[in-house]
Amino acid sequence: MEELNDPKMEPTKSEEKENRGADGFSTPTKSEASTSRLPVATKWLPALVSSKHFFHPCEHCLAKGSGTESHKATVNYLCLTCADVRGVCQLCMHEHADHHILQIRRSSYHDVV
């Protein structure tokens, strides 16, 4: 059977090994590195620590009147790119499509990252 040179195909295990650095993790290309670089922690960490909006209804969705699905309009994400203290709900995720997102979860009544 003839192999097709499809750009959507997953890399083979040998190709993955070639792309890995000494630490075993894949090393991004220059174009990937510039677009996928995480924002500096000093910009988003204060928003994460000081936010009191997690697990409350999304103010943005309530203002628009689109908070009909209340479980989806609960703030449990933080956009690291925007570093907004108000956080992001599942219904607002489309506004942060190309951003780095951190999900906050609740475990036994404790908020965890």
Side-chain angles (χ1 to χ4, degrees):
M1 187 171 198
E2 197 175 306
E3 279 189 43
L4 297 175
N5 200 4
D6 186 5
K8 294 179 185 175
M9 286 180 52
E10 294 290 322
T12 63
K13 294 217 183 253
S14 61
E15 290 172 336
E16 285 179 358
K17 285 181 183 178
E18 290 174 8
N19 293 335
R20 289 188 185 169
D23 57 0
F25 294 102
S26 61
T27 53
T29 62
K30 285 185 180 181
S31 62
E32 288 175 338
S34 64
T35 58
S36 67
R37 190 170 293 260
L38 282 171
V40 180
T42 55
K43 296 189 184 231
W44 58 264
L45 195 56
L48 174 67
V49 173
S50 65
S51 179
K52 304 292 182 206
H53 295 270
F54 294 124
F55 306 106
H56 293 286
C58 177
E59 294 174 0
H60 186 257
C61 288
L62 290 175
K64 289 191 313 188
S66 62
T68 57
E69 297 181 60
S70 61
H71 68 283
K72 289 187 177 183
T74 301
V75 176
N76 65 331
Y77 296 97
L78 177 70
C79 178
L80 302 182
T81 308
C82 297
D84 187 1
V85 180
R86 292 176 294 173
V88 181
C89 73
Q90 189 175 354
L91 298 175
C92 295
M93 289 288 283
H94 68 280
E95 297 173 9
H96 303 270
D98 294 332
H99 296 183
H100 290 90
I101 304 292
L102 186 68
Q103 184 177 18
I104 312 301
R105 295 185 178 205
R106 180 166 277 176
S107 174
S108 301
Y109 303 103
H110 296 283
D111 300 344
V112 294
V113 179

